[in-house]
Amino acid sequence: MRVIVLGAGVIGTTSAWYLARAGHEVTVVDRQPEAALETSFANGGQISVSHSEPWANPTAPLKILRWLGREDAPLLFRPRAELGEWLWALRFLAECLPSRARHNTEAALALARYSREELRQLRRDTAISYDAKTYGILHLYEEPREFEHATREAEMLKGRGLELEIKTPDECMRIEPALEHSKVRVVGGAYAASDESGDAQIFTKNLSELCRAQGVSFRFNVSVKGLEANRGAIERVVIDDEAGIEESLRSDAYVIALGSYSALLLRRIGISIPVYPVKGYSITLPLEAGSIAPQISLTDHARKIVISRLGDRLRVAGTAELNGYDTEMNTSRCDALVRRCFEWFPKAGRAESAQFWTGLRPATPSNLPLIGQSKYSNLFLNTGHGTLGWTLACGSGRALADIVSGRRPEPEFRFLETKARMKRATSSVAPRPTG
Ligand SMILES: Cc1cc2nc3c(=O)[nH]c(=O)nc-3n(C[C@H](O)[C@H](O)[C@H](O)COP(=O)(O)OP(=O)(O)OC[C@H]3O[C@@H](n4cnc5c(N)ncnc54)[C@H](O)[C@@H]3O)c2cc1C
């Protein structure tokens, strides 16, 4: 079957890979000159199965209230006169209920575990390189109450087969000796030895090359303007081509993997999805001879940031800001990341050499992605991966390719509407989200 994938971020590119492996004839379209130049460009680098608990959890509302009005707050809501933003925020609050948060954590965990296995398999199959590190992720806590919550959460996750060990501050230091110089007073940690890290942009770019070798064609510098439907199916996608001239592309099936922009395109054909941009920041610090920086990827739960060594660079990423599609750089938020980086690792390098970046997470209120078939028979979604797009990419791509091919995906996850021709009926398949 011919399939057009819209979007060449980590989600579109992994989708293309698994679709091509399943025997489909795939074309990928993106407005950028190469793969992974938007949200997948400079993220935190974590393959973090152990961080499946979404931001929307019972501890979130109080924290957000406490941080209100602080320009450098880890989670920042800038109220604007936009109904969609308010609705998203209300749905986020509803997802903070303990029963919802538990359900969302378990669903994300199932997909994340599957995804990490698929990533490992892909690595074995292709020897793809992307500054991968397989030393695990160490979660660090500064606040006793948060550490208690994490300890309870770890018990639940362990009950579902996740390797996650609670650690004392001394044990944390033994796991990551670079913490010896830290000025942050850690009350405890949780170590997920099976988690990983790596550069999502390098991975995606290299995977796009591997896709090409499998026969996938990429059309870069091409803007998607709209989709046209007829009798319950998509008839064509309208683009501005490489020369800016309007063109129609026709195919048997279409996959939407446009990150935060998926919602805008789908709205025009009557599909409303709860995907909203949540802005994040990262800094990338070149490491020099004598730099003392961690080897293990770290999660700083007090500030909601992650720290990963990517080759000879240190990536510090995080913070969340609800402010529409604005991608402007806020210096207070950049400075907060730099300050925190040097509180953890005073000898990491030179602050003035840090490179700043900002990206829009395609976030659903539950942090669960939308994967599967839409109300149009030949239109499929793979979007809304929020804080976990890199972690979930391979599993989501594989599951999407299975669904397009009429097979039931492996993980226990609520995929979007099933297809009549799917081989086995399953209770894990949900009705279409809306629209
Ligand atoms: C600060 C930060 C830190 C993060 N850290 C982590 C982490 O440690 N681990 C983790 O798992 N996840 C992390 N994430 C989340 C992860 O980066 C995202 O979930 C993921 O990159 C989303 O990928 P995507 O392919 O859906 O979106 P994108 O990468 O944005 O891809 C969408 C593509 O669609 C294209 N596009 C959009 N509109 C159009 C159009 N009209 N026409 C043509 N092309 C178009 C864009 O050019 C883009 O290439 C982080 C995110 C941020 C912001």
Side-chain angles (χ1 to χ4, degrees):
M1 176 158 62
R2 291 172 310 151
V3 187
I4 293 182
V5 177
L6 304 180
V10 70
I11 299 299
T13 307
T14 47
S15 302
W17 170 257
Y18 290 104
L19 284 163
R21 297 280 276 206
H24 300 292
E25 190 185 321
V26 185
T27 302
V28 185
V29 169
D30 199 287
R31 62 185 170 197
Q32 297 291 343
E34 62 179 55
L37 290 186
E38 296 204 4
T39 308
S40 306
F41 183 70
N43 71 19
Q46 288 192 336
I47 300 295
S48 186
V49 179
S50 57
H51 205 168
S52 293
E53 187 185 44
W55 278 336
N57 66 59
T59 69
L62 207 67
K63 278 189 205 155
I64 295 170
L65 274 180
R66 224 174 53 210
W67 288 327
L68 266 185
R70 259 183 53 192
E71 206 43 51
D72 62 351
L75 290 174
L76 182 62
F77 177 44
R78 291 188 196 280
R80 292 163 348 120
E82 201 196 291
L83 182 64
E85 185 171 314
W86 284 97
L87 287 177
W88 191 95
L90 285 175
R91 289 174 81 162
F92 178 92
L93 280 180
E95 298 295 342
C96 292
L97 288 170
S99 60
R100 292 300 309 153
R102 173 59 42 96
H103 165 270
N104 296 336
T105 304
E106 289 179 3
L109 182 64
L111 187 57
R113 287 181 68 178
Y114 174 68
S115 198
R116 194 176 58 195
E117 284 313 310
E118 285 298 319
L119 171 65
R120 288 177 180 160
Q121 186 60 46
L122 196 152
R123 222 164 39 214
R124 283 192 291 272
D125 289 348
T126 64
I128 188 169
S129 65
Y130 54 95
D131 287 331
K133 284 210 185 303
T134 53
Y135 306 147
I137 291 178
L138 181 60
H139 298 261
L140 296 167
Y141 300 89
E142 212 184 346
E143 294 160 10
R145 207 183 288 171
E146 185 138 43
F147 183 49
E148 280 162 30
H149 172 77
T151 308
R152 283 193 301 274
E153 206 51 33
E155 282 310 311
M156 187 279 276
L157 293 171
K158 274 166 72 176
R160 277 157 186 76
L162 188 83
E163 289 171 49
L164 191 60
E165 298 297 330
I166 294 299
K167 300 289 178 190
T168 64
D170 281 348
E171 286 170 333
C172 291
M173 201 106 79
R174 280 200 287 279
I175 292 168
E176 179 44 76
L179 287 169
E180 193 194 330
H181 306 275
S182 166
K183 296 176 187 156
V184 181
R185 285 175 63 88
V186 167
V187 297
Y191 181 47
S194 307
D195 275 341
E196 305 187 356
S197 58
D199 190 318
Q201 184 248 337
I202 298 178
F203 171 87
T204 309
K205 189 168 184 306
N206 288 346
L207 188 64
S208 72
E209 294 305 328
L210 292 167
C211 281
R212 272 204 182 93
Q214 293 269 326
V216 175
S217 49
F218 284 84
R219 287 190 65 179
F220 288 116
N221 300 305
V222 162
S223 250
V224 178
K225 288 170 66 180
L227 295 164
E228 279 186 18
N230 187 18
R231 295 191 193 164
I234 298 300
E235 207 169 55
R236 63 180 187 134
V237 49
V238 183
I239 59 163
D240 273 342
D241 76 4
E242 294 80 349
I245 296 165
E246 189 172 298
E247 186 186 328
S248 288
L249 303 178
R250 290 172 202 275
S251 187
D252 303 314
Y254 303 82
V255 176
I256 303 292
L258 295 169
S260 296
Y261 298 88
S262 305
L264 302 182
L265 192 80
L266 291 171
R267 193 186 299 163
R268 288 186 239 140
I269 51 165
I271 298 178
S272 152
I273 56 168
V275 173
Y276 202 78
V278 175
K279 183 153 95 170
Y281 285 82
S282 75
I283 63 166
T284 305
L285 194 71
L287 298 173
E288 299 162 351
S291 286
I292 300 180
Q295 291 288 349
I296 291 190
S297 185
L298 305 171
T299 301
D300 167 355
H301 281 266
R303 301 294 169 87
K304 299 222 164 296
I305 63 173
V306 304
I307 304 175
S308 298
R309 182 192 277 252
L310 304 169
D312 55 2
R313 298 157 297 144
L314 192 66
R315 173 76 46 78
V316 183
T319 83
E321 184 181 342
L322 224 62
N323 191 20
Y325 286 83
D326 167 80
T327 51
E328 214 151 278
M329 205 78 87
N330 175 323
T331 48
S332 306
R333 295 180 84 68
C334 296
D335 292 346
L337 279 184
V338 174
R339 264 198 319 276
R340 190 61 171 177
C341 171
F342 284 93
E343 277 170 33
W344 281 112
F345 301 106
K347 300 180 179 178
R350 284 177 300 122
E352 57 279 13
S353 60
Q355 294 146 21
F356 301 114
W357 172 82
T358 178
L360 300 176
R361 299 178 187 88
T364 61
S366 61
N367 208 38
L368 296 179
L370 305 168
I371 306 168
Q373 192 181 25
S374 74
K375 69 177 182 179
Y376 297 103
S377 58
N378 60 350
L379 181 68
F380 299 85
L381 272 49
N382 196 1
T383 192
H385 292 74
T387 62
L388 287 178
W390 173 211
T391 304
L392 300 178
C394 289
S396 303
R398 171 72 200 270
L400 185 279
D402 281 341
I403 293 168
V404 172
S405 309
R407 283 192 296 272
R408 178 193 172 186
E410 233 175 85
E412 278 302 311
F413 185 81
R414 278 173 76 90
F415 294 101
L416 304 179
E417 180 177 299
T418 186
K419 297 172 79 172
R421 65 192 169 86
M422 205 170 271
K423 281 179 186 141
R424 267 197 290 157
T426 166
S427 58
S428 69
V429 174
R432 68 180 87 102
T434 46

